[in-house]
Amino acid sequence: MQVQPYNLMAHAFILFLLFSCITSMNIHACKHSERSSLLSFASAVSAPPSNWTSLDCCHWKGIACNQDGWVTHLLLPSKGLKGGLSPSSLGNLTHLTHLNLSHNSLLGSLETKLFLSLNRLEILDLSYNLLSGELPFSLPSSNIRTVDLSSNQFFGAIPSSFFQQASNLTSFSVSNNTFTGYVPSSICLHSSPFLRLLDFSSNQFNGNLAPGLGKCSELQVFRAGHNNLSGLLPEDIYNATKLEEISLPLNSLHGEISNKIVNLTNLAILDLYINQLSGKLPLNLGKLSKLKFVTLDFNNLEGALPPSLMNCTNLVELRLGSNNLEGDISMLDFSRLNQLAKLDLRVNNFTGTFPVSLYSCRSLKAIRLTGNNLVGQIQAQILSLKSLSFLSLGFNQFTNLTGAMKILMSCKSLHALMLSGSFKGEEMPADDDMVDFDGFQNLRVLCLIESRLTGQLPVWLSELHNLEILLLNGNEITGPIPSWLGTLPRLFYINLSENRFSGEFPKQLCRLPRLVYEPNITSQVDNTSYEYELPFYFGPVVRNPNYYLSSKISSYPATIDLSNNNIVGDIPIEVSQLQLLHGLVLHANNLSGIIPDQISNLKNLEVLNLSMNHLSGIIPSSLASLTFLKEFNVSYNNLQGPIPTSTQLQSFNASAFEGNPKLCGAPLPNKCDRPNKCIDEDNKKNNKGMGNGLHQLPWFYISSIVLGFIVGFWGVCGSLIINKTWRYAYFRFIYNVQDRLYVMITVRINMIKRKP
Ligand SMILES: *[C@@H]1O[C@H](CO)[C@@H](O)[C@H](O)[C@H]1NC(C)=O
Ligand SMILES: *[C@@H]1O[C@H](CO)[C@@H](O)[C@H](O)[C@H]1NC(C)=O
Ligand SMILES: *[C@@H]1O[C@H](CO)[C@@H](O)[C@H](O)[C@H]1NC(C)=O
Ligand SMILES: *[C@@H]1O[C@H](CO)[C@@H](O)[C@H](O)[C@H]1NC(C)=O
Ligand SMILES: *[C@@H]1O[C@H](CO)[C@@H](O)[C@H](O)[C@H]1NC(C)=O
Ligand SMILES: *[C@@H]1O[C@H](CO)[C@@H](O)[C@H](O)[C@H]1NC(C)=O
Ligand SMILES: *[C@@H]1O[C@H](CO)[C@@H](O)[C@H](O)[C@H]1NC(C)=O
Ligand SMILES: *[C@@H]1O[C@H](CO)[C@@H](O)[C@H](O)[C@H]1NC(C)=O
Ligand SMILES: *[C@@H]1O[C@H](CO)[C@@H](O)[C@H](O)[C@H]1NC(C)=O
Ligand SMILES: *[C@@H]1O[C@H](CO)[C@@H](O)[C@H](O)[C@H]1NC(C)=O
Ligand SMILES: *[C@@H]1O[C@H](CO)[C@@H](O)[C@H](O)[C@H]1NC(C)=O
Ligand SMILES: *[C@@H]1O[C@H](CO)[C@@H](O)[C@H](O)[C@H]1NC(C)=O
């Protein structure tokens, strides 16, 4: 019998229809209950994807289903979702294997009902949300491989039963929450033999690290930094031989780094800064040939650097600052470390000269050897370090500053140069051949403090068009403060205090472009982006990582500090142009005349110290409009009349006003019992003016009201530094730049805290 073509085609067609119907049902049709669960989830968040409307939820954005129409994937990271995780919705999606809702603004907690019903879950990523509460007693599924709950607001201890089902777990992160209790380091003893990543950092875990990690035979990354861990580094961590990263900074771990660490042959990152580790560095550390980042700053390590370290040819960063290490570093052969970009050996007991072998580490960008006992001179070979950007060699016994500067000025990439506290008693480099100056073209920070340098400010400084920070305090520099200083386009932080400068306050300084408010020139300089290779230290509060990690200086408070010199004449009215100034420190000079009313234009001022001068007249009542003022001192001048009444000025101690016999009123003990009628009226007027708004302050008022002023006192900065420093005896590097800056920052922070 012959099959008719027509029939054949018809059959084929029907078959095709049937088949495609079946497949489409299998692949596309989402179960009704799943759809309503998703819609219930969507109704609880503010911005569900726009195409979550059609019948078939398996084709919605972020959704995938299995053959049977069960939703298996819900992937909506960074979708701006705001709202609650509701157990009645997500918890019904019981076939979910992949849940990724990271980087949203989800609220609520991981309710046990919701969580445990997701018992097929393999990947769970809820990082970067606003979730809180404690963890449920257990992970939901033995299939779970990845759990990322980092950067939320979870708290409480991690229940010991949490990992009972975690036999397939490979990656677990709870960093950046507020978990407490013990780090569950026994996690691999009974479960989780496949763990590769464990991240407990930035929480409030405390206590010892219990043994157990040694059983994590696959562990590659272990992080628990920035907690409150104490005790020893557990010995069995050295049994986890696949470890590539150990990061436990910012804790209170003590004890030695065991020689057994050489068994961790894959180790690339050893990050233990700010702990209390002691003893010597393992002699065979150099056998760890994959080491890249070694950060052990702020511990109590002692002894010499193991020569084997110079075999770690992959080293990129070696930071061993603030320990008690010693030995002649010029004997070490750094020349094989041709990846080395950052070397920080600050504040140790190293001796010898600048290691010549360092000149062959061509990748070097940052060298800090500050605060050791090094001698000798800087050699011209340093110019072979073409990428060198950050050089800090202060507080050693180097000599020949002129030679050093002449060499370094050709260092094209140099951004920050700190040579303080060496070169004692030498002259400011000002050779004739430095006049046609074309060097230091990228220099942003120059710090040459506490060196008793003599001579005048050299003219070549006026060519440093990128200079932002100039610190020359604690020298014996003479002559006037040159007017060209006011032409440096990026300069915003000047400290010339404790020198022998004479002459008047240069009016030109009041035109510093970075300090003058120019509404139309909003971003003449890219003052936010530059990040230095190493953090600057702001002083002894190094346990506060906000200070420790700051390698950006553009946000430092703009300051002019000319205190402890011999500046004469008036405070020029032009200072009122420096509207972006945060600190004006002029104490212990020979300034006379009045306190210009116009100082009240400096609306950003936080520190104003005019003490120990010969200022006369009254305190302008307009100063009360300086609402950011945190430090104020006009003591030891010849000021007179009542202290203007304002919550601002009365919040300072009497010591800020003392030493002005004719000054009266709170906070001074002497009352203004025979008020000068004239002054009183003028003050009233001024106070009225203030009520109208801070912006039209009475600088146009009868300027003769403005009389006087004040003299000196101890430096605000100095005393703060010394008080705090003694609490950290080991931190002997007190007279550096960063201390000064730290004070300014602290001042600002305290000020912010104080404001209602
Ligand atoms: C979730 O399931 C429960 C019972 O299994 C049911 O009562 C509830 O309505 C479901 N929720 C949604 C949103 O479907
Ligand atoms: C929804 O959007 C996603 C991605 O934008 C797209 O792949 C999918 O086809 C859309 N679904 C529907 C039903 O329009
Ligand atoms: C979740 O999604 C984000 C963004 O796509 C991705 O970076 C992240 O790796 C995902 N999480 C997991 C555990 O795969
Ligand atoms: C680990 O996961 C696989 C599937 O991914 C599963 O077959 C196995 O049972 C799980 N192991 C345990 C111990 O549950
Ligand atoms: C820590 O979490 C907060 C939100 O809780 C987030 O803003 C911040 O960026 C996170 N920090 C890091 C280093 O991830
Ligand atoms: C850190 O732990 C110590 C005890 O080891 C405890 O005294 C201290 O209060 C803890 N600090 C914080 C911030 O939890
Ligand atoms: C480390 O492993 C060795 C050999 O595998 C074993 O003898 C030792 O007990 C382990 N150490 C610890 C602290 O578990
Ligand atoms: C370190 O490795 C050596 C052999 O390489 C082995 O004998 C020793 O047991 C290992 N130590 C630990 C703590 O695993
Ligand atoms: C450095 O490694 C070489 C071989 O790679 C070895 O001969 C030498 O002893 C090692 N140096 C030190 C100090 O360990
Ligand atoms: C480091 O040097 C100082 C002074 O030179 C000395 O008092 C101290 O004992 C030394 N420290 C060590 C660990 O050698
Ligand atoms: C200082 O250094 C320069 C440049 O290296 C050199 O020419 C000069 O001789 C040095 N002076 C002294 C006194 O060593
Ligand atoms: C600033 O800009 C405004 C409009 O953008 C303009 O009217 C004004 O003249 C400018 N001022 C200066 C000083 O350039």
Side-chain angles (χ1 to χ4, degrees):
M1 205 173 107
Q2 198 183 355
V3 181
Q4 290 192 355
Y6 167 81
N7 269 353
L8 192 64
M9 276 180 67
H11 279 105
F13 185 65
I14 286 164
L15 261 174
F16 171 75
L17 272 186
L18 203 66
F19 185 74
S20 56
C21 187
I22 289 167
T23 39
S24 76
M25 269 179 76
N26 273 349
I27 291 172
H28 300 295
C30 100
K31 291 221 182 300
H32 178 71
S33 61
E34 297 283 273
R35 184 174 185 275
S36 70
S37 295
L38 285 173
L39 285 176
S40 158
F41 165 74
S43 70
V45 296
S46 70
S50 56
N51 75 5
W52 276 29
T53 47
S54 57
L55 257 185
D56 185 1
C57 72
C58 292
H59 274 162
W60 290 357
K61 193 180 178 80
I63 302 297
C65 300
N66 64 11
Q67 295 279 316
D68 304 324
W70 296 102
V71 172
T72 57
H73 291 59
L74 174 52
L75 309 175
L76 293 172
S78 306
K79 291 293 179 295
L81 306 180
K82 291 193 172 73
L85 270 192
S86 115
S88 66
S89 52
L90 275 189
N92 282 13
L93 296 169
T94 52
H95 287 69
L96 270 185
T97 57
H98 292 67
L99 179 59
N100 189 342
L101 299 172
S102 66
H103 288 95
N104 285 296
S105 305
L106 298 172
L107 297 159
S109 60
L110 286 185
E111 288 179 38
T112 307
K113 179 171 179 292
L114 153 83
F115 198 57
L116 295 190
S117 52
L118 302 177
N119 57 16
R120 289 179 172 84
L121 215 50
E122 294 169 22
I123 310 287
L124 173 66
D125 188 347
L126 298 173
S127 61
Y128 290 90
N129 278 289
L130 303 169
L131 301 167
S132 59
E134 301 196 35
L135 290 189
F137 70 89
S138 168
L139 279 165
S141 134
S142 62
N143 296 322
I144 203 150
R145 297 195 302 267
T146 299
V147 174
D148 191 347
L149 303 176
S150 59
S151 293
N152 279 286
Q153 291 154 22
F154 292 111
F155 52 81
I158 297 184
S160 55
S161 53
F162 192 69
F163 298 104
Q164 65 193 2
Q165 295 208 65
S167 42
N168 274 333
L169 195 62
T170 59
S171 171
F172 182 76
S173 172
V174 291
S175 67
N176 196 16
N177 283 283
T178 42
F179 285 110
T180 50
Y182 291 101
V183 164
S185 44
S186 60
I187 182 169
C188 299
L189 283 180
H190 309 294
S191 54
S192 316
F194 307 124
L195 264 172
R196 288 202 291 265
L197 178 142
L198 273 177
D199 192 345
F200 300 100
S201 50
S202 299
N203 280 286
Q204 289 165 18
F205 289 110
N206 53 41
N208 294 359
L209 275 175
L213 291 171
K215 287 279 185 289
C216 294
S217 57
E218 300 295 316
L219 194 62
Q220 294 167 356
V221 176
F222 179 60
R223 300 187 188 123
H226 208 170
N227 280 293
N228 193 13
L229 303 179
S230 50
L232 302 168
L233 272 179
E235 280 286 294
D236 79 329
I237 199 174
Y238 306 116
N239 272 12
T241 53
K242 295 236 169 109
L243 270 172
E244 294 168 12
E245 173 177 346
I246 300 178
S247 289
L248 298 165
L250 291 142
N251 282 299
S252 303
L253 300 168
H254 60 89
E256 303 195 0
I257 301 173
S258 163
N259 275 313
K260 291 181 192 157
I261 200 171
V262 302
N263 278 28
L264 305 182
T265 51
N266 294 300
L267 202 64
I269 299 177
L270 180 62
D271 187 0
L272 298 169
Y273 73 84
I274 308 190
N275 275 290
Q276 287 146 31
L277 301 171
S278 56
K280 300 190 172 180
L281 286 170
L283 199 58
N284 289 323
L285 196 60
K287 288 201 172 147
L288 303 180
S289 60
K290 294 186 181 164
L291 273 181
K292 277 189 170 158
F293 299 92
V294 175
T295 320
L296 301 173
D297 320 50
F298 297 98
N299 280 288
N300 304 318
L301 301 170
E302 58 188 37
L305 290 187
S308 71
L309 200 56
M310 303 302 144
N311 266 357
C312 298
T313 54
N314 288 304
L315 267 181
V316 174
E317 272 188 57
L318 180 59
R319 292 164 60 171
L320 302 170
S322 294
N323 282 288
N324 296 317
L325 298 166
E326 60 189 13
D328 184 346
I329 48 169
S330 35
M331 305 300 284
L332 294 170
D333 183 7
F334 289 88
S335 61
R336 295 180 59 207
L337 307 185
N338 49 27
Q339 312 283 318
L340 191 64
K342 302 180 188 181
L343 175 68
D344 190 354
L345 303 180
R346 66 187 290 274
V347 192
N348 278 290
N349 268 4
F350 290 118
T351 55
T353 57
F354 188 99
V356 176
S357 59
L358 271 183
Y359 296 135
S360 28
C361 303
R362 299 296 160 85
S363 305
L364 271 172
K365 289 183 177 155
I367 302 175
R368 175 155 51 201
L369 305 176
T370 313
N372 284 288
N373 302 312
L374 305 178
V375 296
Q377 303 193 5
I378 310 300
Q379 306 296 319
Q381 291 109 293
I382 201 167
L383 295 178
S384 54
L385 304 179
K386 296 272 185 267
S387 310
L388 191 64
S389 162
F390 186 109
L391 182 64
S392 180
L393 303 175
F395 299 95
N396 283 290
Q397 283 117 51
F398 292 117
T399 54
N400 196 357
L401 179 61
T402 301
M405 294 301 263
K406 280 191 194 169
I407 292 166
L408 291 170
M409 63 190 259
S410 306
C411 197
K412 295 259 184 318
S413 47
L414 207 56
H415 282 97
L417 179 59
M418 279 76 75
L419 297 177
S420 305
S422 282
F423 311 104
K424 290 283 168 67
E426 295 188 21
E427 256 192 89
M428 271 311 278
D431 276 18
D432 288 346
D433 54 353
M434 292 178 82
V435 172
D436 281 336
F437 187 82
D438 190 28
F440 289 133
Q441 282 311 297
N442 285 303
L443 201 64
R444 290 164 179 251
V445 179
L446 178 61
C447 179
L448 269 170
I449 70 173
E450 308 290 341
S451 305
R452 304 200 317 267
L453 302 176
T454 60
Q456 302 207 350
L457 270 197
V459 178
W460 56 263
L461 280 176
S462 66
E463 306 292 324
L464 304 186
H465 296 297
N466 285 305
L467 199 64
E468 296 184 304
I469 295 190
L470 176 64
L471 299 127
L472 296 171
N473 45 300
N475 288 298
E476 295 172 5
I477 307 175
T478 52
I481 293 173
S483 56
W484 46 252
L485 213 50
T487 65
L488 293 178
R490 287 167 171 257
L491 194 60
F492 73 91
Y493 197 109
I494 305 170
N495 191 341
L496 302 179
S497 66
E498 296 165 67
N499 275 289
R500 297 180 184 169
F501 287 106
S502 52
E504 302 205 337
F505 186 110
K507 291 192 173 63
Q508 294 83 348
L509 218 48
C510 305
R511 297 206 200 109
L512 274 169
R514 277 286 286 278
L515 303 185
V516 174
Y517 179 59
E518 296 268 15
N520 286 12
I521 311 172
T522 43
S523 58
Q524 48 196 157
V525 285
D526 57 332
N527 55 1
T528 49
S529 53
Y530 194 77
E531 185 156 2
Y532 291 84
E533 285 70 21
L534 288 173
F536 287 85
Y537 294 88
F538 300 138
V541 193
V542 290
R543 286 206 162 257
N544 185 331
N546 292 335
Y547 297 139
Y548 181 77
L549 293 175
S550 179
S551 40
K552 292 188 176 180
I553 58 168
S554 53
S555 53
Y556 290 0
T559 295
I560 296 178
D561 186 344
L562 306 180
S563 59
N564 285 294
N565 279 291
N566 189 25
I567 317 247
V568 297
D570 292 349
I571 298 173
I573 285 168
E574 287 83 350
V575 294
S576 62
Q577 295 161 9
L578 299 171
Q579 300 208 2
L580 304 181
L581 198 64
H582 288 251
L584 182 61
V585 186
L586 301 175
H587 80 96
N589 277 291
N590 282 318
L591 294 165
S592 52
I594 58 168
I595 300 177
D597 197 7
Q598 290 86 336
I599 279 191
S600 61
N601 277 5
L602 307 184
K603 297 290 185 253
N604 289 305
L605 214 54
E606 294 163 34
V607 177
L608 178 61
N609 191 339
L610 305 173
S611 64
M612 293 176 83
N613 280 290
H614 307 295
L615 300 167
S616 53
I618 61 158
I619 299 176
S621 58
S622 61
L623 287 192
S625 69
L626 296 176
T627 46
F628 287 108
L629 218 49
K630 165 63 176 54
E631 293 287 337
F632 177 76
N633 199 335
V634 292
S635 62
Y636 298 96
N637 279 290
N638 299 320
L639 298 170
Q640 56 172 299
I643 295 170
T645 319
S646 76
T647 47
Q648 190 69 33
L649 293 181
Q650 267 68 39
S651 69
F652 299 108
N653 286 338
S655 60
F657 299 93
E658 69 191 11
N660 293 285
K662 294 186 201 157
L663 207 57
C664 62
L668 285 176
N670 53 323
K671 296 236 155 50
C672 302
D673 42 24
R674 206 173 56 81
N676 177 326
K677 199 174 168 236
C678 183
I679 289 174
D680 232 24
E681 271 177 11
D682 291 336
N683 278 342
K684 262 183 216 150
K685 253 190 205 168
N686 283 357
N687 287 340
K688 250 186 234 157
M690 277 188 50
N692 295 338
L694 301 176
H695 292 287
Q696 306 115 17
L697 262 166
W699 63 271
F700 50 87
Y701 279 30
I702 322 155
S703 61
S704 61
I705 307 167
V706 182
L707 296 172
F709 223 67
I710 303 171
V711 186
F713 201 62
W714 42 267
V716 173
C717 301
S719 81
L720 273 175
I721 290 169
I722 287 165
N723 288 345
K724 291 201 172 164
T725 304
W726 287 114
R727 284 194 262 138
Y728 294 83
Y730 71 90
F731 196 91
R732 60 187 168 87
F733 184 21
I734 57 170
Y735 288 115
N736 62 4
V737 199
Q738 294 86 4
D739 288 341
R740 305 297 163 128
L741 296 175
Y742 158 70
V743 169
M744 302 300 295
I745 301 248
T746 313
V747 159
R748 179 188 243 180
I749 286 170
N750 287 345
M751 182 267 306
I752 290 166
K753 275 189 205 148
R754 227 194 224 189
K755 294 241 166 277

